[in-house]
Amino acid sequence: MSELETLFATSFSTASLDTSTHSRLAKTLLNSLKNSDSSSSSSSSSSKSEWRVALWRCVLAFTATKRVAKDAAAKTLRFLDALVKAADAVSVSVASKKDVVLVDKNALVLFLLKKLSKGAHAKQAHVRFRVCQCLFLLLNHVQEIDDDLHDTLRTILMQRARDKDVHVRVQASMALSRFQGPPEDIDTQVVDVLIDLMTGDASSEVRKTILWNIDLTATSLIPLLQRATDVDVGVRRMVYQKFAASVPDMHNLPPEVPIALLTVGLKDRDAGVRKKCRALLCDVWYKGYQGTLLEFLADLNVRSVAAQEALVALVEAGLVKTDFVTDDMWGDALSIEFVFFASVYARCLDDQKEEDKLLDFLPSLSTLSNLLSKFGALIVNPPTNDESQIKALEFVLSRLLQLTECHDFSDEVGRRGVSLCLSKLLVCEDLPTENLQYIIKILRKMEQAESDVLLIVADAVSGIVEASEDAELEDGVDPLMHKLLIQMQCLEIIRALFEQILKPPGKDSSFLVLLHRFVIPSVRSNNALLRQTGIHCLGLACYVDRTLSLENANLFLHAFQVEELDGKKLVLRILFDLIMIHGVTVVDVNAVVMFILACLQHEDPGLLTLAAEGATKLLMMKFIENEQILEALLVLYFHPHTAGQHRLRQCLSCFFPMYALSSAENQAILATTVVAAFTNLTLEYEESGQGLSPGDIAAQMGEWTDYRRLVTFENGEEHATGCVHGVVAVSLLEAMLREPDIQKEGTKMLNILYIDATVSEDVRKRILKLADDVQPMLVVDPVSLKGLKRFTAKIQDGKKKSDDGEESEESD
């Protein structure tokens, strides 16, 4: 080894231990090159060749060594980077003296790239990893590169970006990002590979690496935006860091992109993601508007969720000032952006209990009543047929109602004006349901008791009916259709009221008028829409009044039989809710069981899922305990026909472990049903060959009924419960006697069961007796016969161990 090679090896070894010597070591190496060149009689080309070979041998040793400490490897790479930078400085200084350039940085980098490219296909993963690391480092220093080497490296890195080793993919994707090209001449093939990896790679580190290194262009914008909903928290955080670093001005993005980012980020379940999103909003994008809040809200579209969440975040950050608000803004100059800001800001102050600030900010009740009257009249008689302008008027009205709800109504004159205005708004045709709900909320806040609100609504709907009866219909208007529309309008108002009732109305006269004059007749209507709305209203009334639910429970059961699919789903929700609220006593238990079993046999996936969700809730709450329902749910969970019903499968996959392992009682009930479900599923599998194999089904059922996974607590101490697999074994052997077609799979399931000394002697004898009865039937199947003998031997060994244990205890 020459003196120069020794110096290189020593320098690299020293650099891997201490980062403070990198610059000094690099200068020492370059000085040694100049000294060796001046003292040597050989040509400069031979000196450069020797220097490169010495450097390459050190790099080769670094890439080939399998076990290099992570810290030492990082220091070695930093030293190589420092050496290349120092070589550039020497190249410039020597060139300035118009001498021969001894160290050409670009030539050195190209030399190393060519050498390293040969190791990219090495069998050892650590070699490929180190090669990609070095390629990424050197590509940051390359100035000019010939087409052949460019294509070679590009191809190599595209291959390594799909390497089986995740660490290689990370480094290769970082290096490949250097081949994206300038904005005016993008390499679409490289960008497509990066996008494909960023969206589809299983490793979050690969996705995160590409996300940060990919250029933000029209092609990569949407894939980058989609990473805001990535399953990995770190990837989601980096999305907002990426946009903060790449797009400091929100005007440079399409309008829908900031809306999508803020909608997802501000409501993310992770606090770190929400923090990054708030930083992007407050510290980057909002500062670009220089405090013009209304313009910022206009660009975000005040009807979007993002606008409201963004405004709340700005208020909480203390960036919103109200010094721009003038009295004129509450008059004819009222804009959609300002009324949106006012409603959200007032709600924030109300939530923060800032009563003094809220009173200073809100206009008087008289001003609000005038605005409500104005926009209510515009909605009744719109000045234009433009749908977008009508929607804007409805939006302004809803925000004014939200503002009104924040008032304390201490001003009696203003309170009367608002009350009169709300009474007029309540009877307006085609008023959105959201506005009806706000009106009812305000009335409940203004009035002393719910009976007063009931009286106001009863008078309003009665007035609507009387006015329609006295009105003369225009030519061409169908009287029946007009009557139907009036009935629907009244029911929508009643539904908005019933949704907010908190106490049982009992024998309140206004409530009885609403119920018997409007709701009950609509339930008996021949019109499906009117009937379903009436059923909904009746269900809401039953939620708060148990007596009313007892009187109408059978009506809901009857309605389920005659309703169409949408009506059946509505009735199903109502019945399950009534049982959860008032208990199963509101309906006959047997009727409920038969009703649920019928629903679990329905063909519609939506209704089937609703029935399963409701049944699992009732089983968990112990409102019902029925083995037939459990068996039906087991069959649904494993049946191949429900493979595509993801919501149903998700519900049942959460329910069964929770139900079986939450108590010994539940596990015992489930143990009595698994054999019947296993029999049905096995026969189905033998016939169709679809779905999970019986072995997989048996393994899952055995896990749910394994008492070792269940622990109960008594007096603060843990106590293991008794084994229920003995009951399963008895039921399975009896099923094998009845159904010879399940004997093969049944024998396999027997050997999955765990039966120990906790099984009673009677159950053990019963198992052995049934096994003797099954054994002659398995003579034609030696494999199953062998499995049965192995199972019986295990039972007998367990009995002997139990007996030996008892004898030893007696002798002791």
Side-chain angles (χ1 to χ4, degrees):
M1 182 181 293
S2 65
E3 182 180 351
L4 189 60
E5 291 178 357
T6 304
L7 180 60
F8 264 88
T10 304
S11 300
F12 268 84
S13 178
T14 305
S16 65
L17 301 176
D18 188 6
T19 58
S20 62
T21 61
H22 284 180
S23 299
R24 180 172 56 81
L25 285 172
K27 292 178 181 179
T28 302
L29 282 174
L30 294 173
N31 290 331
S32 65
L33 173 63
K34 289 190 287 185
N35 294 333
S36 64
D37 181 71
S38 60
S39 62
S40 177
S41 59
S42 60
S43 63
S44 62
S45 60
S46 63
S47 298
K48 286 190 282 187
S49 175
E50 183 181 358
W51 196 85
R52 290 177 182 176
V53 170
L55 175 60
W56 166 242
R57 287 181 178 176
C58 293
V59 174
L60 180 61
F62 169 70
T63 57
T65 304
K66 185 173 183 180
R67 294 185 178 179
V68 180
K70 186 176 181 181
D71 185 54
K75 292 176 181 177
T76 302
L77 287 170
R78 285 199 292 270
F79 175 66
L80 180 60
D81 184 62
L83 190 60
V84 174
K85 290 179 180 178
D88 186 39
V90 170
S91 176
V92 173
S93 64
V94 174
S96 64
K97 297 179 181 179
K98 298 182 180 180
D99 292 331
V100 178
V101 177
L102 300 178
V103 183
D104 187 344
K105 174 186 173 182
N106 197 61
L108 175 64
V109 171
L110 294 178
F111 169 76
L112 292 175
L113 288 175
K114 289 178 182 178
K115 290 287 187 179
L116 286 167
S117 63
K118 298 177 182 179
H121 300 290
K123 293 183 179 180
Q124 298 85 357
H126 72 276
V127 175
R128 301 196 302 273
F129 171 70
R130 295 299 181 198
V131 166
C132 291
Q133 265 189 324
C134 294
L135 288 176
F136 170 68
L137 184 148
L138 294 170
L139 284 171
N140 291 327
H141 296 286
V142 71
Q143 297 172 355
E144 295 180 2
I145 186 170
D146 60 88
D147 294 340
D148 293 338
L149 182 58
H150 176 278
D151 294 340
T152 300
L153 293 173
R154 174 176 170 273
T155 303
I156 287 173
L157 291 172
M158 289 175 67
Q159 293 172 350
R160 295 282 65 80
R162 299 186 184 279
D163 196 277
K164 61 182 179 181
D165 188 272
V166 61
H167 304 293
V168 177
R169 296 203 303 273
V170 170
Q171 296 299 324
S173 59
M174 290 170 62
L176 186 61
S177 64
R178 299 298 180 261
F179 288 85
Q180 297 176 82
E184 62 275 4
D185 187 20
I186 296 175
D187 191 333
T188 56
Q189 190 174 359
V190 170
V191 173
D192 289 343
V193 171
L194 292 175
I195 290 175
D196 185 46
L197 290 170
M198 183 178 65
T199 57
D201 197 281
S203 171
S204 61
E205 288 300 319
V206 175
R207 300 197 302 274
K208 193 186 303 182
T209 300
I210 298 176
L211 189 152
W212 187 253
N213 288 280
I214 195 170
D215 294 337
L216 188 59
T217 62
T219 305
S220 62
L221 178 60
I222 299 303
L224 277 169
L225 184 63
Q226 292 171 348
R227 292 305 92 210
T229 57
D230 195 278
V231 295
D232 185 75
V233 174
V235 176
R236 299 202 300 273
R237 284 199 206 109
M238 189 165 286
V239 169
Y240 297 96
Q241 292 176 333
K242 174 75 173 182
F243 278 91
S246 304
V247 192
D249 191 349
M250 200 173 75
H251 293 96
N252 296 331
L253 290 172
E256 62 273 8
V257 172
I259 293 175
L261 281 172
L262 295 176
T263 301
V264 175
L266 292 173
K267 300 293 287 185
D268 195 277
R269 61 181 178 273
D270 182 74
V273 178
R274 295 196 300 271
K275 183 178 179 180
K276 293 294 183 183
C277 185
R278 285 173 178 261
L280 172 64
L281 168 67
C282 301
D283 301 337
V284 181
W285 283 349
Y286 183 62
K287 285 188 176 180
Y289 283 83
Q290 299 178 350
T292 54
L293 179 62
L294 298 185
E295 180 185 349
F296 175 74
L297 294 176
D299 289 344
L300 275 183
N301 185 2
V302 293
R303 295 187 183 88
S304 66
V305 177
Q308 179 156 335
E309 295 297 331
L311 182 53
V312 171
L314 292 174
V315 172
E316 292 177 351
L319 299 177
V320 175
K321 308 298 180 183
T322 58
D323 50 3
F324 68 93
V325 179
T326 61
D327 293 338
D328 295 338
M329 290 183 173
W330 296 107
D332 296 334
L334 185 68
S335 65
I336 186 172
E337 290 80 18
F338 175 71
V339 73
F340 168 77
F341 157 73
S343 63
V344 175
Y345 184 68
R347 178 59 62 189
C348 290
L349 294 178
D350 190 33
D351 292 340
Q352 297 171 3
K353 307 300 181 183
E354 299 281 353
E355 297 180 0
D356 295 337
K357 290 184 179 180
L358 180 61
L359 291 177
D360 293 339
F361 174 74
L362 287 175
S364 64
L365 282 174
S366 300
T367 302
L368 281 176
S369 64
N370 293 333
L371 290 172
L372 289 171
S373 300
K374 173 185 174 181
F375 283 93
L378 290 175
I379 289 177
V380 174
N381 298 307
T384 178
N385 293 327
D386 188 357
E387 188 68 23
S388 61
Q389 294 188 19
I390 295 175
K391 291 291 184 183
L393 292 174
E394 293 175 351
F395 178 82
V396 171
L397 180 61
S398 67
R399 292 294 170 172
L400 288 173
L401 289 170
Q402 293 180 49
L403 268 177
T404 307
E405 187 186 357
C406 294
H407 251 291
D408 60 354
F409 302 104
S410 58
D411 180 8
E412 184 63 27
V413 175
R415 179 179 175 278
R416 292 177 182 177
V418 170
S419 179
L420 180 61
C421 181
L422 294 179
S423 300
K424 293 179 180 179
L425 285 175
L426 200 59
V427 299
C428 291
E429 295 182 10
D430 299 328
L431 195 67
T433 303
E434 181 185 15
N435 290 345
L436 286 175
Q437 293 172 344
Y438 286 132
I439 291 173
I440 299 298
K441 287 181 181 178
I442 297 171
L443 289 174
R444 290 185 69 250
K445 187 174 182 179
M446 291 173 59
E447 302 300 329
Q448 296 294 327
E450 283 188 347
S451 58
D452 298 333
V453 182
L454 288 169
L455 178 60
I456 293 173
V457 174
D459 291 342
V461 294
S462 300
I464 292 173
V465 174
E466 293 172 0
S468 65
E469 292 174 352
D470 298 337
E472 296 183 1
L473 300 179
E474 299 179 358
D475 296 337
V477 177
D478 185 0
L480 294 177
M481 180 59 66
H482 178 71
K483 182 179 179 181
L484 176 63
L485 293 175
I486 294 299
Q487 289 175 320
M488 283 299 301
Q489 181 185 357
C490 295
L491 285 178
E492 289 294 337
I493 298 172
I494 294 172
R495 180 165 65 179
L497 172 65
F498 283 2
E499 285 176 349
Q500 301 182 48
I501 291 180
L502 301 178
K503 298 179 181 178
K507 299 298 182 180
D508 186 271
S509 58
S510 301
F511 174 76
L512 295 176
V513 168
L514 295 174
L515 187 65
H516 295 290
R517 184 178 178 184
F518 296 97
V519 176
I520 298 298
S522 64
V523 174
R524 299 169 180 167
S525 173
N526 294 326
N527 183 273
L529 180 60
L530 186 64
R531 188 170 61 251
Q532 290 176 20
T533 308
I535 290 173
H536 194 174
C537 293
L538 182 59
L540 291 171
C542 291
Y543 289 165
V544 295
D545 194 330
R546 189 174 187 277
T547 303
L548 192 62
S549 63
L550 285 170
E551 296 172 357
N552 295 280
N554 292 327
L555 176 62
F556 291 121
L557 290 172
H558 174 72
F560 182 84
Q561 303 296 329
V562 300
E563 282 293 328
E564 298 177 355
L565 184 59
D566 291 338
K568 288 180 184 293
K569 292 179 181 178
L570 175 63
V571 173
L572 193 58
R573 291 190 184 96
I574 292 173
L575 279 170
F576 282 134
D577 288 344
L578 288 178
I579 295 174
M580 293 292 292
I581 294 171
H582 301 301
V584 75
T585 54
V586 295
V587 189
D588 181 64
V589 177
N590 294 327
V592 172
V593 171
M594 297 303 296
F595 172 73
I596 293 175
L597 288 173
C599 293
L600 293 177
Q601 302 296 325
H602 204 276
E603 297 179 355
D604 181 72
L607 184 62
L608 188 61
T609 302
L610 272 177
E613 289 176 349
T616 54
K617 290 178 182 177
L618 296 182
L619 287 168
M620 283 301 301
M621 298 294 293
K622 296 189 180 299
F623 284 115
I624 56 173
E625 293 182 358
N626 187 270
E627 298 175 0
Q628 290 179 298
I629 295 177
L630 270 175
E631 180 186 343
L633 291 174
L634 279 170
V635 173
L636 280 177
Y637 181 57
F638 292 108
H639 204 282
H641 292 170
T642 62
Q645 300 179 30
H646 303 298
R647 183 176 172 183
L648 173 66
R649 288 286 183 95
Q650 183 182 28
C651 169
L652 295 178
S653 64
C654 295
F655 164 71
F656 280 117
M658 189 186 308
Y659 179 80
L661 305 178
S662 61
S663 72
E665 182 183 359
N666 289 348
Q667 192 177 62
I669 296 173
L670 185 63
T672 60
T673 64
V674 293
V675 173
F678 175 76
T679 302
N680 293 334
L681 292 166
T682 301
L683 295 175
E684 177 72 22
Y685 182 81
E686 295 291 340
E687 181 179 350
S688 64
Q690 298 178 353
L692 286 175
S693 66
D696 293 335
I697 296 173
Q700 184 66 81
M701 291 180 173
E703 182 181 356
W704 289 336
T705 53
D706 190 347
Y707 85 99
R708 293 174 297 175
R709 300 195 60 204
L710 176 68
V711 175
T712 58
F713 289 86
E714 296 178 5
N715 300 324
E717 299 180 357
E718 296 183 358
H719 297 276
T721 57
C723 177
V724 298
H725 275 181
V727 178
V728 177
V730 171
S731 301
L732 185 57
L733 289 167
E734 291 174 347
M736 291 168 65
L737 289 171
R738 293 192 304 268
E739 293 287 348
D741 292 339
I742 70 165
Q743 289 176 354
K744 180 179 180 180
E745 299 297 338
T747 306
K748 296 178 182 178
M749 185 175 183
L750 284 173
N751 286 281
I752 292 175
L753 303 177
Y754 178 79
I755 301 176
D756 58 7
T758 59
V759 177
S760 65
E761 186 62 26
D762 293 338
V763 174
R764 191 184 301 275
K765 290 179 180 179
R766 178 65 175 163
I767 291 173
L768 295 174
K769 175 64 172 60
L770 290 170
D772 291 339
D773 295 339
V774 172
Q775 186 170 344
M777 304 173 66
L778 299 179
V779 175
V780 296
D781 188 354
V783 177
S784 299
L785 181 60
K786 184 178 180 181
L788 181 63
K789 289 181 178 180
R790 185 167 60 250
F791 170 72
T792 54
K794 184 170 60 175
I795 297 294
Q796 291 170 351
D797 290 344
K799 182 178 184 304
K800 290 179 181 179
K801 291 179 181 179
S802 177
D803 293 341
D804 293 342
E806 290 176 0
E807 292 176 0
S808 63
E809 288 177 3
E810 291 175 359
S811 63
D812 291 341

